[in-house]
Structures are given as structure tokens and as C-alpha cells.
Amino acid sequence: MTDPVRLTRADLDALPSYVPGRNPADLARELGLPEAIKLASNEVPYGPLPGVPEAVAEAAAGAHRYPDMGVVALREVLAERYGVSVDRIATGCGSVGLCEHLARATCLPGDEILYSWRSFEAYPIIVATTGASSVRVANTAGHGHNLAAMAAAITEQTRMVLVCNPNNPTGTAVRRAELDRFLATVPGDVLVVIDEAYREFVTDPDVPDALEAYGDRPNVVVLRTLSKAWGLAGLRIGFMVGAPEVAAAVRKVVTPFSTSSAAQAGALAALRQADEVRRRCALVVSERTRLTSALRDLVPDVPESQANFVWLPLGDQSAAFGAACEKHGVIVRPFPGEGVRVTVGTPTENDAFLAAARSAL
Ligand SMILES: Cc1ncc(COP(=O)(O)O)c(C=O)c1O
């Protein structure tokens, strides 16, 4: 038999695929349970914010029309809310879409994108699809970014550095003084992308809000998402704030119309619910504290989380732990050989997970 014709890039074979959280309906069916609990995708468990379903339904009435490609109304609201000018904002199909656009807007094949590892699993995929090279700096023993080592790893080829703060999947966060020091050493022609997908869950006052602390730096871009605290994961919308030239370049390479009318309408409705978002985040934070302390009785070295998930550094036990939780109807996110990420759910969901964890360990 002859080999099939190769139509796609051979180097992509070595690239791990993005792993979405398992579908809870499938697991429930498999186990014969009425439902399964999903703590695998860092969603907030309290449903869409009030007003969002109605706004999306209204937008659906115009679904035969293209959305506003300039996303003008939403960018104006975001600009007002975050105290920046509209020309510094771009929206995308999730902040992961924007991350990809930033890579596309900054890199040519042979250029380097630097990030800490383990971090968000989409980063290596984004870098590879751009044709740039990934340069990874190992996390510290405490599971956080090693910013000094990252600064030392910048080369002539580095075009972009990703700082995931708080870091997915470990929940650790870099603090103001170390980030100040790091940014002072990064050359002005290297773009630093501070990915703050979990900003709303940060409670440590030493962890800077990058928009406030570094928003005026021309080589800093801050990524935010409406998928987590704002409850719009299914609508796929995130935004970036950066220098006007960077935002304009991103808007140029963005997939046309990728911020759908439903996403724009849902985001406008969600942004009117800031008080409810704060209330929900406080619930998540209080459960995060409870989960962390209960888990520390079972697993040594659970790092402090500033996000809506906790990291269990279980090493070789990770895959077995994930499988054992599934047998109890709880879906978590194992990273085989490294650890397990568990999203903070409702108190009942967290209790079910803790029972599963106690029995698994
Ligand atoms: C660190 C980080 N950045 C970005 C994202 C992407 O979020 P979205 O594309 O839903 O906006 C995620 C999602 O899990 C994440 O963990």
C-alpha cells in the first residue's frame, strides 16, 4: 500500500491537542446517574448573568445579518469601564482567539514566543500554528512563573512573552515587585502579553491589576475574557487592551466578524451586572479557601490559588486520580504525570468532589 498523500504540516503531529473538559451528559449516561459534575473547564457554576439570555435571544432575531465588525458599542462600554480609549481595545473569539491574533501580528517563522511551563495548554498550539518557536521556562518549585529565568531567556528572536497571571493550571500568581522588575528588563520591542483570564478572582492585594499597573506601557498588552467570571464561555468573547497600534494590528488580522452578534449583545448585558459578578466571585473565593484547606489534608504542596480552580500536584498519580473522580461522577482535569486541576464549583459540587478525592487518595 502506498503512503497517503501528506496534506498537512508534519510538525503538527508532535503537538498535543487542546483537551476540552469531558461532556458531563456522556459520563452521567455511562454511570447511569441523573447527572455528572463538571469541574474541568474553569467555568463559574451559577448560570448566565441576569439579562444575558434575553439579550442573546433578541440578537438571535437578527441572526441573518452580519454582526458589527467594529464591535463599536461594546468597545465603548469596555473603554468607559476600564478607563482606556476605545482605539486601545480589540475583541476576539475568546481571549484565546486574541492570543492567536497577537502571535500572528507579531511573529514570522523563526521568531520566538516565550512562556512559563506548565501554563495554559493553548499557548504551544498557538505558537506552532503561527510558525514561531516556543521557548518554555520551567515553573518554580512552588508552581509559579520564574520571571528572572524568563528575563534571561529573552533573545534577539523573542517577539512576544506570555505572562499568565494567575497561571492556568496551577493558580499561582506573580506579584507586583517581581513583575515590575521583569518588565523593566524586557526590551521595548518585545511585546509582553499579560493574560488575566482569572483577574476577577484575585484577592491578594500584591497581585497587580495589569491594566492599572502597566496599561500605559506601549509594549504591554492585557488580555481579559468574559468566559469566566462574566459567565459567557459559550458565547466566545474576550478583549485586549494595548497600544493603539497593536490593537489596530490585531483588528486587522482578526477573523472577520468573529465576535458574533449574540456575543456582543450578551457581553453588553453581562457588563451591566458588575455587582452580581462581584457577589459570585466572592462565593467562588470562599469555596476556594475551603477546598484548598480540605485538600491540603490529602495532598501536600497544594499551592495557594488566586483563580477559580485549585492545582493538585499529584505527579504520576494524576491520571488515576482523574479516572477515580469520574467513577464518582465528578469530572476534573488531569495533566498526566504532573497534576490535576479542579475548578471551584458550588458548595454541593465541591462536597461531592471532596468525597471522591478522599476515597481516591
Ligand atoms: C489563562 C487563560 N487564558 C485564556 C483563556 C481563554 O479563555 P477564552 O478563550 O474562553 O476567553 C483561558 C481559558 O481557559 C485561560 O485559562
Side-chain angles (χ1 to χ4, degrees):
M1 216 171 68
T2 54
D3 285 341
V5 177
R6 171 127 220 153
L7 295 171
T8 56
R9 284 165 42 185
D11 63 311
L12 297 185
D13 293 350
L15 199 63
S17 296
Y18 190 97
V19 181
R22 192 171 171 200
N23 183 340
D26 290 345
L27 178 64
R29 212 172 303 117
E30 196 178 297
L31 297 174
L33 294 172
E35 57 187 8
I37 294 168
K38 184 180 171 207
L39 302 178
S41 299
N42 298 345
E43 298 142 334
V44 166
Y46 300 110
L49 288 162
V52 167
E54 295 79 1
V56 171
E58 204 179 312
H64 59 301
R65 303 280 183 205
Y66 282 103
D68 169 18
M69 188 160 153
V71 198
V72 175
L74 176 59
R75 285 170 55 225
E76 280 172 356
V77 168
L78 290 168
E80 168 89 29
R81 158 98 26 132
Y82 294 99
V84 299
S85 58
V86 178
D87 61 350
R88 299 185 53 210
I89 297 179
T91 64
C93 179
S95 57
V96 77
L98 285 165
C99 196
E100 190 173 332
H101 303 325
L102 283 163
R104 236 190 270 163
T106 53
C107 289
L108 290 168
D111 290 337
E112 292 174 357
I113 298 182
L114 174 68
Y115 50 90
S116 193
W117 197 251
R118 163 138 327 246
S119 188
F120 183 32
E121 64 184 313
Y123 294 159
I125 301 172
I126 288 168
V127 176
T129 50
T130 326
S133 308
S134 274
V135 177
R136 298 174 178 189
V137 171
N139 286 345
T140 62
H143 312 285
H145 285 33
N146 184 342
L147 287 180
M150 286 174 74
I154 293 174
T155 70
E156 289 282 297
Q157 281 67 49
T158 310
R159 304 265 26 98
M160 191 164 117
V161 181
L162 289 155
V163 176
C164 189
N165 204 35
N167 186 45
N168 175 7
T170 59
T172 51
V174 286
R175 297 191 165 71
R176 175 80 197 231
E178 43 181 338
L179 207 42
D180 281 355
R181 262 195 310 277
F182 174 73
L183 289 173
T185 65
V186 177
D189 62 350
V190 173
L191 193 73
V192 180
V193 177
I194 307 183
D195 184 345
E196 292 192 328
Y198 302 97
R199 173 67 212 172
E200 292 84 352
F201 306 104
V202 170
T203 49
D204 180 340
D206 283 343
V207 176
D209 173 325
L211 272 180
E212 282 171 16
Y214 311 113
D216 58 342
R217 295 189 184 220
N219 69 330
V220 169
V221 163
V222 180
L223 280 183
R224 294 276 178 97
T225 182
L226 293 165
S227 297
K228 312 292 179 185
W230 298 89
L232 297 181
L235 289 180
R236 312 302 304 120
I237 179 157
F239 66 97
M240 57 148 277
V241 179
E245 303 71 29
V246 177
V250 165
R251 289 197 299 272
K252 201 175 267 181
V253 300
V254 81
T255 308
F257 305 109
S258 55
T259 309
S260 72
S261 334
Q264 295 185 39
L268 284 167
L271 288 165
R272 281 182 219 116
Q273 297 291 333
D275 288 344
E276 175 61 10
V277 168
R278 271 190 286 277
R279 192 186 72 81
R280 292 178 179 200
C281 289
L283 293 176
V284 168
V285 166
S286 128
E287 279 297 290
R288 177 178 81 198
T289 308
R290 184 172 77 92
L291 261 186
T292 305
S293 86
L295 287 166
R296 280 182 176 156
D297 291 339
L298 301 172
V299 183
D301 195 27
V302 174
E304 185 203 315
S305 171
Q306 288 291 305
N308 67 333
F309 51 84
V310 290
W311 175 246
L312 307 181
L314 285 168
D316 291 343
Q317 285 176 276
S318 304
F321 179 83
C325 288
E326 285 198 5
K327 289 211 175 83
H328 287 81
V330 182
I331 304 167
V332 294
R333 177 67 169 88
F335 293 79
E338 296 175 71
V340 178
R341 190 190 67 202
V342 185
T343 305
V344 178
T346 62
T348 315
E349 290 172 338
N350 299 331
D351 284 341
F353 162 67
L354 282 173
R358 287 190 185 106
S359 117
L361 294 168

Short mmCIF file of all heavy atoms in Angstrom, two decimals, residues 205-254:
data_model
loop_
_atom_site.label_atom_id
_atom_site.label_comp_id
_atom_site.label_asym_id
_atom_site.label_seq_id
_atom_site.Cartn_x
_atom_site.Cartn_y
_atom_site.Cartn_z
N PRO A 205 -3.73 41.46 47.52
CA PRO A 205 -3.53 42.85 47.09
C PRO A 205 -2.17 43.10 46.44
O PRO A 205 -2.00 44.11 45.75
CB PRO A 205 -3.67 43.65 48.39
CG PRO A 205 -3.50 42.66 49.50
CD PRO A 205 -3.87 41.32 48.98
N ASP A 206 -1.22 42.18 46.62
CA ASP A 206 0.09 42.36 45.98
C ASP A 206 0.12 41.90 44.53
O ASP A 206 1.12 42.06 43.84
CB ASP A 206 1.16 41.56 46.75
CG ASP A 206 1.56 42.27 48.03
OD1 ASP A 206 1.25 43.48 48.15
OD2 ASP A 206 2.14 41.60 48.90
N VAL A 207 -0.96 41.25 44.10
CA VAL A 207 -1.00 40.81 42.69
C VAL A 207 -1.59 41.96 41.89
O VAL A 207 -2.75 42.34 42.10
CB VAL A 207 -1.85 39.52 42.53
CG1 VAL A 207 -1.98 39.14 41.07
CG2 VAL A 207 -1.24 38.38 43.33
N PRO A 208 -0.80 42.53 40.98
CA PRO A 208 -1.27 43.77 40.33
C PRO A 208 -2.37 43.52 39.31
O PRO A 208 -2.40 42.47 38.66
CB PRO A 208 -0.01 44.29 39.63
CG PRO A 208 0.82 43.08 39.39
CD PRO A 208 0.53 42.12 40.51
N ASP A 209 -3.27 44.48 39.19
CA ASP A 209 -4.19 44.55 38.06
C ASP A 209 -3.35 45.16 36.94
O ASP A 209 -2.96 46.33 37.01
CB ASP A 209 -5.36 45.45 38.46
CG ASP A 209 -6.30 45.75 37.30
OD1 ASP A 209 -5.82 45.86 36.16
OD2 ASP A 209 -7.51 45.88 37.55
N ALA A 210 -3.06 44.35 35.91
CA ALA A 210 -2.10 44.81 34.90
C ALA A 210 -2.61 46.02 34.13
O ALA A 210 -1.82 46.84 33.65
CB ALA A 210 -1.76 43.67 33.95
N LEU A 211 -3.93 46.14 34.01
CA LEU A 211 -4.47 47.31 33.31
C LEU A 211 -4.12 48.58 34.07
O LEU A 211 -3.71 49.59 33.47
CB LEU A 211 -5.98 47.20 33.21
CG LEU A 211 -6.55 46.47 32.02
CD1 LEU A 211 -8.07 46.47 32.09
CD2 LEU A 211 -6.08 47.12 30.73
N GLU A 212 -4.30 48.51 35.40
CA GLU A 212 -4.00 49.69 36.21
C GLU A 212 -2.50 49.92 36.31
O GLU A 212 -2.02 51.05 36.23
CB GLU A 212 -4.55 49.50 37.63
CG GLU A 212 -6.03 49.74 37.72
CD GLU A 212 -6.59 49.34 39.09
OE1 GLU A 212 -5.81 49.16 40.05
OE2 GLU A 212 -7.82 49.20 39.18
N ALA A 213 -1.75 48.85 36.52
CA ALA A 213 -0.34 48.99 36.83
C ALA A 213 0.53 49.23 35.58
O ALA A 213 1.52 49.96 35.65
CB ALA A 213 0.16 47.76 37.58
N TYR A 214 0.17 48.59 34.47
CA TYR A 214 1.08 48.63 33.30
C TYR A 214 0.38 49.03 32.01
O TYR A 214 0.98 48.97 30.94
CB TYR A 214 1.72 47.24 33.10
CG TYR A 214 2.30 46.67 34.36
CD1 TYR A 214 1.75 45.53 34.95
CD2 TYR A 214 3.39 47.27 34.99
CE1 TYR A 214 2.27 45.01 36.13
CE2 TYR A 214 3.91 46.75 36.16
CZ TYR A 214 3.35 45.63 36.72
OH TYR A 214 3.86 45.11 37.88
N GLY A 215 -0.90 49.41 32.13
CA GLY A 215 -1.70 49.68 30.94
C GLY A 215 -1.13 50.75 30.03
O GLY A 215 -1.42 50.77 28.84
N ASP A 216 -0.30 51.63 30.59
CA ASP A 216 0.21 52.73 29.75
C ASP A 216 1.51 52.37 29.03
O ASP A 216 2.05 53.18 28.28
CB ASP A 216 0.43 53.98 30.63
CG ASP A 216 1.41 53.71 31.77
OD1 ASP A 216 1.64 52.52 32.08
OD2 ASP A 216 1.94 54.68 32.34
N ARG A 217 2.02 51.16 29.23
CA ARG A 217 3.29 50.81 28.59
C ARG A 217 3.04 50.36 27.15
O ARG A 217 2.23 49.47 26.92
CB ARG A 217 3.98 49.67 29.33
CG ARG A 217 4.39 50.08 30.72
CD ARG A 217 5.24 48.99 31.31
NE ARG A 217 5.54 49.36 32.67
CZ ARG A 217 6.73 49.18 33.24
NH1 ARG A 217 7.70 48.59 32.57
NH2 ARG A 217 6.94 49.55 34.47
N PRO A 218 3.76 50.94 26.19
CA PRO A 218 3.47 50.61 24.80
C PRO A 218 3.70 49.14 24.45
O PRO A 218 3.06 48.62 23.54
CB PRO A 218 4.45 51.48 23.99
CG PRO A 218 5.16 52.34 24.97
CD PRO A 218 4.77 51.97 26.36
N ASN A 219 4.60 48.45 25.19
CA ASN A 219 4.85 47.04 24.81
C ASN A 219 4.12 46.05 25.71
O ASN A 219 4.46 44.87 25.75
CB ASN A 219 6.35 46.73 24.79
CG ASN A 219 6.98 46.74 26.17
OD1 ASN A 219 6.52 47.47 27.05
ND2 ASN A 219 8.01 45.94 26.36
N VAL A 220 3.08 46.53 26.42
CA VAL A 220 2.29 45.60 27.25
C VAL A 220 0.88 45.50 26.68
O VAL A 220 0.26 46.52 26.32
CB VAL A 220 2.23 46.07 28.72
CG1 VAL A 220 1.19 45.27 29.52
CG2 VAL A 220 3.60 45.94 29.38
N VAL A 221 0.41 44.26 26.57
CA VAL A 221 -0.99 44.02 26.21
C VAL A 221 -1.62 43.23 27.34
O VAL A 221 -1.01 42.30 27.87
CB VAL A 221 -1.08 43.20 24.90
CG1 VAL A 221 -2.46 42.59 24.73
CG2 VAL A 221 -0.76 44.07 23.70
N VAL A 222 -2.82 43.62 27.74
CA VAL A 222 -3.53 42.88 28.78
C VAL A 222 -4.70 42.15 28.13
O VAL A 222 -5.48 42.75 27.38
CB VAL A 222 -4.04 43.83 29.89
CG1 VAL A 222 -4.77 43.03 30.97
CG2 VAL A 222 -2.88 44.61 30.50
N LEU A 223 -4.77 40.84 28.39
CA LEU A 223 -5.87 40.02 27.85
C LEU A 223 -6.88 39.74 28.96
O LEU A 223 -6.50 39.34 30.05
CB LEU A 223 -5.33 38.66 27.40
CG LEU A 223 -4.65 38.53 26.07
CD1 LEU A 223 -4.27 37.07 25.83
CD2 LEU A 223 -5.53 39.03 24.94
N ARG A 224 -8.13 39.96 28.67
CA ARG A 224 -9.20 39.62 29.61
C ARG A 224 -10.26 38.79 28.87
O ARG A 224 -10.39 38.89 27.66
CB ARG A 224 -9.87 40.90 30.15
CG ARG A 224 -8.96 41.77 31.01
CD ARG A 224 -8.93 41.28 32.45
NE ARG A 224 -8.04 42.08 33.28
CZ ARG A 224 -8.43 43.09 34.05
NH1 ARG A 224 -9.71 43.43 34.10
NH2 ARG A 224 -7.56 43.75 34.79
N THR A 225 -11.00 38.02 29.63
CA THR A 225 -12.06 37.23 29.00
C THR A 225 -13.39 37.46 29.69
O THR A 225 -13.43 37.79 30.87
CB THR A 225 -11.72 35.73 29.05
OG1 THR A 225 -12.76 35.02 28.38
CG2 THR A 225 -11.61 35.19 30.47
N LEU A 226 -14.46 37.25 28.94
CA LEU A 226 -15.80 37.28 29.54
C LEU A 226 -16.30 35.85 29.78
O LEU A 226 -17.45 35.63 30.16
CB LEU A 226 -16.76 38.06 28.63
CG LEU A 226 -16.40 39.56 28.56
CD1 LEU A 226 -17.11 40.25 27.40
CD2 LEU A 226 -16.74 40.28 29.84
N SER A 227 -15.41 34.87 29.59
CA SER A 227 -15.82 33.45 29.71
C SER A 227 -15.92 32.98 31.14
O SER A 227 -16.63 32.02 31.42
CB SER A 227 -14.79 32.54 29.03
OG SER A 227 -14.71 32.80 27.67
N LYS A 228 -15.15 33.58 32.04
CA LYS A 228 -15.04 33.00 33.38
C LYS A 228 -15.99 33.74 34.33
O LYS A 228 -17.14 33.38 34.43
CB LYS A 228 -13.58 33.06 33.85
CG LYS A 228 -12.58 32.55 32.81
CD LYS A 228 -12.69 31.07 32.57
CE LYS A 228 -11.68 30.62 31.52
NZ LYS A 228 -11.81 29.22 31.16
N ALA A 229 -15.51 34.79 35.01
CA ALA A 229 -16.34 35.48 35.99
C ALA A 229 -17.64 36.02 35.37
O ALA A 229 -18.67 36.07 36.03
CB ALA A 229 -15.55 36.62 36.62
N TRP A 230 -17.59 36.41 34.11
CA TRP A 230 -18.75 37.03 33.48
C TRP A 230 -19.70 36.01 32.85
O TRP A 230 -20.73 36.38 32.27
CB TRP A 230 -18.30 38.07 32.43
CG TRP A 230 -17.51 39.19 33.05
CD1 TRP A 230 -16.15 39.21 33.23
CD2 TRP A 230 -18.01 40.40 33.62
NE1 TRP A 230 -15.78 40.37 33.87
CE2 TRP A 230 -16.90 41.13 34.12
CE3 TRP A 230 -19.29 40.96 33.75
CZ2 TRP A 230 -17.03 42.37 34.75
CZ3 TRP A 230 -19.42 42.20 34.37
CH2 TRP A 230 -18.30 42.89 34.86
N GLY A 231 -19.34 34.74 32.94
CA GLY A 231 -20.27 33.66 32.60
C GLY A 231 -20.65 33.52 31.13
O GLY A 231 -21.73 33.03 30.82
N LEU A 232 -19.75 33.92 30.21
CA LEU A 232 -20.12 33.86 28.79
C LEU A 232 -19.27 32.86 28.00
O LEU A 232 -19.10 33.03 26.79
CB LEU A 232 -19.99 35.25 28.14
CG LEU A 232 -20.90 36.36 28.68
CD1 LEU A 232 -20.66 37.65 27.90
CD2 LEU A 232 -22.37 35.97 28.58
N ALA A 233 -18.78 31.81 28.65
CA ALA A 233 -17.86 30.88 27.96
C ALA A 233 -18.44 30.37 26.65
O ALA A 233 -17.73 30.23 25.65
CB ALA A 233 -17.52 29.72 28.89
N GLY A 234 -19.76 30.11 26.64
CA GLY A 234 -20.36 29.53 25.44
C GLY A 234 -20.53 30.52 24.30
O GLY A 234 -20.80 30.12 23.17
N LEU A 235 -20.37 31.80 24.58
CA LEU A 235 -20.55 32.79 23.51
C LEU A 235 -19.22 33.19 22.87
O LEU A 235 -19.21 33.83 21.83
CB LEU A 235 -21.26 34.05 24.05
CG LEU A 235 -22.74 33.86 24.39
CD1 LEU A 235 -23.33 35.16 24.90
CD2 LEU A 235 -23.52 33.39 23.18
N ARG A 236 -18.12 32.82 23.50
CA ARG A 236 -16.78 33.05 22.97
C ARG A 236 -16.47 34.54 22.77
O ARG A 236 -16.56 35.07 21.66
CB ARG A 236 -16.55 32.28 21.64
CG ARG A 236 -16.96 30.85 21.64
CD ARG A 236 -16.24 30.03 22.74
NE ARG A 236 -14.81 30.12 22.67
CZ ARG A 236 -14.03 30.60 23.67
NH1 ARG A 236 -14.56 31.02 24.81
NH2 ARG A 236 -12.74 30.65 23.52
N ILE A 237 -16.14 35.20 23.83
CA ILE A 237 -15.76 36.60 23.71
C ILE A 237 -14.73 37.00 24.77
O ILE A 237 -14.88 36.70 25.95
CB ILE A 237 -17.00 37.54 23.71
CG1 ILE A 237 -16.54 39.00 23.59
CG2 ILE A 237 -17.89 37.35 24.92
CD1 ILE A 237 -17.58 39.93 23.04
N GLY A 238 -13.68 37.64 24.29
CA GLY A 238 -12.66 38.19 25.17
C GLY A 238 -12.22 39.53 24.59
O GLY A 238 -12.63 39.91 23.48
N PHE A 239 -11.40 40.26 25.35
CA PHE A 239 -10.90 41.53 24.80
C PHE A 239 -9.47 41.77 25.24
O PHE A 239 -8.98 41.13 26.18
CB PHE A 239 -11.82 42.69 25.18
CG PHE A 239 -11.89 43.01 26.65
CD1 PHE A 239 -11.10 44.03 27.20
CD2 PHE A 239 -12.72 42.32 27.50
CE1 PHE A 239 -11.17 44.33 28.55
CE2 PHE A 239 -12.80 42.63 28.85
CZ PHE A 239 -12.02 43.63 29.38
N MET A 240 -8.80 42.63 24.51
CA MET A 240 -7.43 43.02 24.86
C MET A 240 -7.35 44.52 24.94
O MET A 240 -8.10 45.25 24.27
CB MET A 240 -6.41 42.50 23.86
CG MET A 240 -6.62 42.92 22.43
SD MET A 240 -5.09 43.13 21.48
CE MET A 240 -4.56 44.79 21.92
N VAL A 241 -6.43 44.98 25.77
CA VAL A 241 -6.12 46.41 25.83
C VAL A 241 -4.63 46.55 25.60
O VAL A 241 -3.82 45.88 26.25
CB VAL A 241 -6.50 47.00 27.21
CG1 VAL A 241 -6.15 48.49 27.26
CG2 VAL A 241 -7.98 46.80 27.51
N GLY A 242 -4.27 47.37 24.63
CA GLY A 242 -2.86 47.57 24.32
C GLY A 242 -2.66 48.92 23.67
O GLY A 242 -3.60 49.73 23.59
N ALA A 243 -1.45 49.14 23.19
CA ALA A 243 -1.19 50.39 22.46
C ALA A 243 -2.11 50.44 21.24
O ALA A 243 -2.42 49.39 20.66
CB ALA A 243 0.28 50.41 22.03
N PRO A 244 -2.53 51.66 20.84
CA PRO A 244 -3.46 51.75 19.69
C PRO A 244 -2.93 51.03 18.44
O PRO A 244 -3.70 50.39 17.73
CB PRO A 244 -3.56 53.26 19.45
CG PRO A 244 -3.22 53.89 20.76
CD PRO A 244 -2.26 52.97 21.45
N GLU A 245 -1.60 51.10 18.21
CA GLU A 245 -1.04 50.47 17.01
C GLU A 245 -1.16 48.94 17.11
O GLU A 245 -1.40 48.26 16.10
CB GLU A 245 0.45 50.81 16.83
CG GLU A 245 0.78 52.29 16.75
CD GLU A 245 0.64 53.04 18.08
OE1 GLU A 245 0.81 52.42 19.14
OE2 GLU A 245 0.33 54.25 18.05
N VAL A 246 -0.95 48.41 18.31
CA VAL A 246 -1.04 46.96 18.49
C VAL A 246 -2.50 46.51 18.34
O VAL A 246 -2.80 45.53 17.65
CB VAL A 246 -0.48 46.53 19.87
CG1 VAL A 246 -0.64 45.04 20.10
CG2 VAL A 246 0.99 46.93 19.99
N ALA A 247 -3.41 47.26 18.97
CA ALA A 247 -4.84 46.91 18.86
C ALA A 247 -5.29 46.99 17.40
O ALA A 247 -6.04 46.13 16.93
CB ALA A 247 -5.67 47.84 19.74
N ALA A 248 -4.78 47.99 16.67
CA ALA A 248 -5.18 48.13 15.26
C ALA A 248 -4.64 46.95 14.44
O ALA A 248 -5.34 46.41 13.57
CB ALA A 248 -4.65 49.45 14.70
N ALA A 249 -3.41 46.51 14.74
CA ALA A 249 -2.84 45.37 14.01
C ALA A 249 -3.65 44.12 14.28
O ALA A 249 -3.91 43.32 13.37
CB ALA A 249 -1.37 45.17 14.42
N VAL A 250 -4.09 43.95 15.52
CA VAL A 250 -4.89 42.77 15.87
C VAL A 250 -6.24 42.85 15.14
O VAL A 250 -6.71 41.86 14.57
CB VAL A 250 -5.07 42.67 17.40
CG1 VAL A 250 -6.17 41.69 17.77
CG2 VAL A 250 -3.75 42.24 18.04
N ARG A 251 -6.85 44.01 15.15
CA ARG A 251 -8.15 44.14 14.46
C ARG A 251 -8.00 43.84 12.97
O ARG A 251 -8.92 43.35 12.32
CB ARG A 251 -8.76 45.52 14.70
CG ARG A 251 -9.26 45.72 16.14
CD ARG A 251 -10.22 46.90 16.25
NE ARG A 251 -9.61 48.15 15.85
CZ ARG A 251 -8.93 48.96 16.67
NH1 ARG A 251 -8.78 48.64 17.94
NH2 ARG A 251 -8.40 50.07 16.22
N LYS A 252 -6.79 44.10 12.43
CA LYS A 252 -6.54 43.83 11.01
C LYS A 252 -6.48 42.33 10.72
O LYS A 252 -6.96 41.86 9.70
CB LYS A 252 -5.22 44.50 10.62
CG LYS A 252 -5.07 44.74 9.15
CD LYS A 252 -3.79 45.51 8.87
CE LYS A 252 -4.01 47.00 8.82
NZ LYS A 252 -2.76 47.73 8.50
N VAL A 253 -5.86 41.57 11.64
CA VAL A 253 -5.67 40.13 11.35
C VAL A 253 -6.79 39.25 11.92
O VAL A 253 -6.80 38.05 11.72
CB VAL A 253 -4.30 39.60 11.86
CG1 VAL A 253 -3.15 40.35 11.22
CG2 VAL A 253 -4.20 39.66 13.38
N VAL A 254 -7.72 39.87 12.65
CA VAL A 254 -8.78 39.09 13.28
C VAL A 254 -9.62 38.39 12.21
O VAL A 254 -9.76 38.91 11.09
CB VAL A 254 -9.66 40.04 14.15
CG1 VAL A 254 -10.68 40.79 13.33
CG2 VAL A 254 -10.31 39.32 15.30
#
